[in-house]
Amino acid sequence: MRIPRWHWCRLFYTIPMVRLSFPLRLVALAGYLLCAASCGNVNTEARVPESHHLKPGSYGYDRSFLRKKVDLIELTSGNSKVLLVPQYQGRVMTSTCSGDSGLSFGWINYKLVQSGEVKPHMNAYGGEERLWLGPEGGQFALFFRHDVPYSYDHWFTPKELDTAAFVVTAQTRRSVRFSKRFDLVNRAGTRFSVGIDRKVHILSDEEISTRLPGHSNSLRVVAFESENTLTNRGSNTWQRDSGLLSVWMLGMMKPSPSTTIAIPVKPGNEPAQGPLVNDHYFGTIPPERLKKTATAIFLKADGRQRGKLGVSPLRVRAFIGSYDAASHVLTLLQSGLPSPGDAYVNSAWEDQQHPYAGDAANAYNDGPLEDGSQMGPFYELESSSPAAALAPGQSLTHSQVTYHISGDEKMLDAVSRATLGIGINEIRQAFK
């Protein structure tokens, strides 16, 4: 059995020095001093906090920061890692494709997490994948009470989707399952008894090479898939005329002046396919921040001006994404395509003429509110399930895969073209 160096230090220290001759005393003392110095260096190094060895912005730094405040679950596959927090509804806080020293991809609100404060409207802890339920606004809203204006002052995130912990029901090295049961009441007064079951697993290299179009082994990739099941736990069928729910997944990412959101859309004329993009959530997005072509939409993801856009079920494609030209990181969000006739809840902050003519995918760039305050900065990529008209005991599952891909731009271009149908240079040049 190998004896650690600090045991040798103790051995020298406990030698009965008085029984040794003077020369042997000198030898023993010198050995003790050398060993103690060596052992002291090791022990001093071990006492240094993990974050002191890692740069801000790295995955290891973020893990060290979070573990001081919340319980963590880490999924691993080689150098790829995914970090989740059960206390924050089982959300994915961040991930990396390059080990502890690699980039941390999720946006984290360090100040809020550190403070332990509970905000009244929303606790924007961050996290690159969190689970909400829709609709946000409208006559069937979950975020506005009855007979209040559609304004930020009256907008409140249900605590079950904001501060309530989810229960871990199963866990392995590569996957974890969460569960939660609760009731919600919408703006129209309809009560929903809700069950949520959520599974997240990190994809292996083999799964990535099989499932990611254009993939090359020279690229570094982290990918995780979530399966989010909504169940009607009540005794009444959920009806359109009293409001339906949807699974709504949102990912907070780090903004930068070099990051652009890129969303491919199905072409077609507006009378048949509807508008190319819905950019009226928080006022029209100015043209210097939103670019449109016949087949794609580009939005600045710099966290400097608030704006949200949506893509309808008739226009949406399987992948949406973003590209950070400075870090050479392509981020992709993949979800299932709508089936003919699927209805989507409308989350616009107004009483709606068409409450089931909502969007299947969304993107958001954060910015200052009217009073100058700001939740972020961050940007979001979002996907939604169809509206869930569920009988008692019935369920609906919405799945998505998040990819972060780093490497040579030529290799990234092949992936971008195969998934988004948009070249890396086209994304780069969108706002030049």
Side-chain angles (χ1 to χ4, degrees):
M1 180 179 68
R2 184 178 179 181
I3 301 177
R5 283 185 290 176
W6 62 273
H7 282 300
W8 289 113
C9 294
R10 289 186 176 180
L11 178 62
F12 276 112
Y13 182 73
T14 56
I15 290 175
M17 301 283 282
V18 294
R19 297 182 183 178
L20 299 178
S21 64
F22 181 73
L24 287 177
R25 290 182 197 177
L26 292 178
V27 171
L29 180 60
Y32 167 74
L33 292 174
L34 287 171
C35 185
S38 173
C39 295
N41 290 338
V42 172
N43 289 338
T44 299
E45 202 171 80
R47 287 194 296 269
V48 175
E50 177 187 14
S51 58
H52 287 196
H53 297 281
L54 295 158
K55 295 179 180 179
S58 71
Y59 174 86
Y61 181 94
D62 284 348
R63 183 183 59 202
S64 178
F65 168 80
L66 288 167
R67 67 164 36 133
K68 298 171 187 174
K69 291 294 180 179
V70 292
D71 293 332
L72 300 176
I73 292 175
E74 185 175 65
L75 309 180
T76 61
S77 178
N79 286 327
S80 296
K81 302 183 180 187
V82 175
L83 204 62
L84 302 100
V85 178
Q87 182 178 327
Y88 299 159
Q89 304 80 54
R91 77 181 64 188
V92 175
M93 289 301 292
T94 192
S95 64
T96 188
C97 59
S98 302
D100 287 357
S101 62
L103 287 175
S104 180
F105 294 121
W107 177 77
I108 296 172
N109 191 336
Y110 300 105
K111 184 177 180 180
L112 182 59
V113 173
Q114 178 68 34
S115 72
E117 181 184 0
V118 177
K119 300 281 189 179
H121 295 284
M122 171 193 175
N123 288 275
Y125 299 117
E128 61 175 282
E129 189 196 71
R130 74 179 187 276
L131 186 151
W132 271 6
L133 298 177
E136 182 178 6
Q139 54 266 47
F140 303 129
L142 297 176
F143 292 68
F144 292 92
R145 297 174 184 171
H146 181 63
D147 286 342
V148 299
Y150 294 105
S151 67
Y152 183 80
D153 288 342
H154 297 90
W155 174 84
F156 295 95
T157 308
K159 67 180 187 301
E160 294 83 3
L161 307 175
D162 189 36
T163 56
F166 279 20
V167 178
V168 177
T169 59
Q171 182 180 347
T172 69
R173 182 176 61 86
R174 288 186 51 212
S175 70
V176 60
R177 291 179 181 270
F178 304 95
S179 181
K180 189 69 176 178
R181 305 290 182 266
F182 52 89
D183 286 356
L184 290 174
V185 178
N186 70 9
R187 184 179 171 93
T190 305
R191 180 173 295 274
F192 300 89
S193 292
V194 173
I196 296 290
D197 293 283
R198 170 167 161 79
K199 177 186 176 183
V200 180
H201 87 273
I202 188 171
L203 272 62
S204 65
D205 290 343
E206 182 179 358
E207 287 175 307
I208 291 170
S209 63
T210 301
R211 297 173 61 171
L212 179 61
H215 176 258
S216 166
N217 290 331
S218 63
L219 293 169
R220 296 183 298 278
V221 185
V222 59
F224 58 90
E225 181 174 32
S226 72
E227 301 170 22
N228 306 280
T229 300
L230 170 67
T231 302
N232 179 354
R233 295 290 180 185
S235 56
N236 298 315
T237 298
W238 297 347
Q239 305 280 355
R240 288 174 66 105
D241 59 2
S242 56
L244 299 177
L245 306 181
S246 69
V247 178
W248 183 13
M249 307 303 299
L250 308 94
M252 289 176 161
M253 312 296 182
K254 297 176 180 178
S256 77
S258 61
T259 301
T260 300
I261 294 168
I263 302 180
V265 292
K266 295 178 181 177
N269 60 69
E270 293 205 358
Q273 298 290 103
L276 194 71
V277 60
N278 171 16
D279 65 341
H280 300 289
Y281 278 92
F282 302 121
T284 302
I285 302 172
E288 64 269 20
R289 305 189 64 84
L290 176 67
K291 299 293 184 185
K292 309 173 192 177
T293 71
T295 58
I297 304 159
F298 302 95
L299 177 68
K300 281 190 175 182
D302 57 5
R304 295 179 177 176
Q305 184 169 324
R306 193 168 184 240
K308 181 173 180 177
L309 60 81
V311 181
S312 76
L314 295 177
R315 295 281 194 176
V316 75
R317 292 192 178 275
F319 286 89
I320 65 175
S322 64
Y323 182 61
D324 184 342
S327 299
H328 293 181
V329 174
L330 176 66
T331 295
L332 298 172
L333 181 64
Q334 179 186 21
S335 58
L337 291 172
S339 299
D342 279 348
Y344 284 75
V345 300
N346 190 342
S347 283
W349 289 19
E350 61 187 14
D351 285 333
Q352 303 153 359
Q353 185 177 359
H354 303 290
Y356 299 104
D359 295 318
N362 296 92
Y364 172 78
N365 184 59
D366 191 44
L369 298 169
E370 291 180 2
D371 63 3
S373 64
Q374 188 169 352
M375 285 191 294
F378 54 84
Y379 75 94
E380 289 183 327
L381 300 177
E382 309 172 10
S383 73
S384 292
S385 76
L390 302 176
Q394 283 189 327
S395 299
L396 174 150
T397 297
H398 179 66
S399 300
Q400 66 174 32
V401 185
T402 301
Y403 298 89
H404 299 288
I405 310 152
S406 176
D408 179 79
E409 277 202 338
K410 290 183 179 179
M411 300 295 183
L412 293 173
D413 183 71
V415 176
S416 184
R417 291 180 183 277
T419 55
L420 301 174
I422 306 168
I424 290 295
N425 192 58
E426 187 178 358
I427 302 175
R428 270 182 169 277
Q429 297 298 318
F431 296 103
K432 295 297 185 182

